[in-house]
Structures are given as C-alpha cells and as structure tokens.
C-alpha cells in the first residue's frame, strides 16, 4: 500500500525560507513520480512542481527561481526548498505520488502541511 506523508510546514516571516519533505512509502520499484501542490483558503489547488521517475523536474512558471525540488531515491523522499517566501505563499501544501514514469494525475496524496508566511 502506497502512503504519502508531508512534514516541515510552519510559520515564517516574509523573505524567509522553509523546507518541506515528503516520504512516499510502499514503493518496491523506481517507476513512480512525485509532486507538490498547494491550496490557499478560498482558492483552487495549484500545482507547484513535480519529478518524474527519471529525475526530470518540472516547475510551475510562477514558482521557478524560488522553489527547488530535490529527491533522495533511496529514501523515497522528495524535498521542496522554498526561498524568499511571500505572504501569498500561505497555503496548505500537499505531496502527491503515483505509479508511472510521468504523471499528470496522482492517486496518492498526503494530508498536507500548513505553511504560513506573515509580513
């Protein structure tokens, strides 16, 4: 059974940094992908970035330059480094995963971790 769990959220001042981690447990092979999404109150869920099974990374245009993905394949862990945070980055951040080489839809989701950026 695949399970996804996020950690690392918290409160930070504008301009600060946070690192979110996501562990996808239950995979027996390396053909899976992972992604980060976020949802702010009253807004639709927004895709942030994703990594395919071959390590290829894709970022939403608005996130490029401030957010960076890294992955530890041995630990099935995806990290999202967030720099220069803004109040508008405040949201519930979700990690998602699925069994495929390239994913656009995700079957497995974490519970989310809250990020709050204050000015």
């Amino acid at each position: 059974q695949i399970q996804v769990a996020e950690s690392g959220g918290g409160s930070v001042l504008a301009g600060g940094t946070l690192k979110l981690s996501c562990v996808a447990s239950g995979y027996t092979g390396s053909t899976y992908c992972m992604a980060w999404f976020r949802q702010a109150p009253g807004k639709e869920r927004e895709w942030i970035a994703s990594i395919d099974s071959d390590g290829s990374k894709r970022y939403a245009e608005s996130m490029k330059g401030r957010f960076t993905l890294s992955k530890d394949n041995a630990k099935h862990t995806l990290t999202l480094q967030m720099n220069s945070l803004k109040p508008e980055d405040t949201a519930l951040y979700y990690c998602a995963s699925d069994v495929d080489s390239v994913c656009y839809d995700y079957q497995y989701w974490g519970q989310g971790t809250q990020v709050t950026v204050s000015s």
Side-chain angles (χ1 to χ4, degrees):
Q1 182 179 359
I2 307 301
Q3 293 185 322
V4 177
E6 310 94 338
S7 63
S11 298
V12 65
L13 294 176
T17 64
L18 275 176
K19 182 183 289 187
L20 306 182
S21 293
C22 172
V23 177
S25 59
Y27 285 114
T28 57
S30 60
T31 305
Y32 65 93
C33 38
M34 299 178 74
W36 284 100
F37 292 78
R38 70 184 184 184
Q39 188 166 20
K43 295 187 176 181
E44 293 188 353
R45 187 170 61 198
E46 179 181 26
W47 171 68
I48 298 171
S50 56
I51 186 166
D52 300 332
S53 63
D54 66 355
S56 299
K57 301 172 188 176
R58 290 175 281 130
Y59 295 90
E61 198 63 35
S62 60
M63 311 296 177
K64 287 182 180 179
R66 294 194 302 126
F67 292 5
T68 304
L69 285 178
S70 60
K71 187 166 179 276
D72 184 331
N73 290 320
K75 297 181 179 180
H76 301 290
T77 299
L78 182 68
T79 299
L80 181 67
Q81 177 68 46
M82 304 186 293
N83 299 328
S84 303
L85 285 164
K86 307 173 183 179
E88 50 265 43
D89 293 318
T90 295
L92 191 59
Y93 283 68
Y94 295 94
C95 180
S97 184
D98 211 336
V99 184
D100 209 337
S101 55
V102 180
C103 301
Y104 295 96
D105 295 314
Y106 295 86
Q107 182 177 174
Y108 306 105
W109 292 81
Q111 295 296 310
T113 185
Q114 179 68 39
V115 171
T116 302
V117 184
S118 55
S119 57

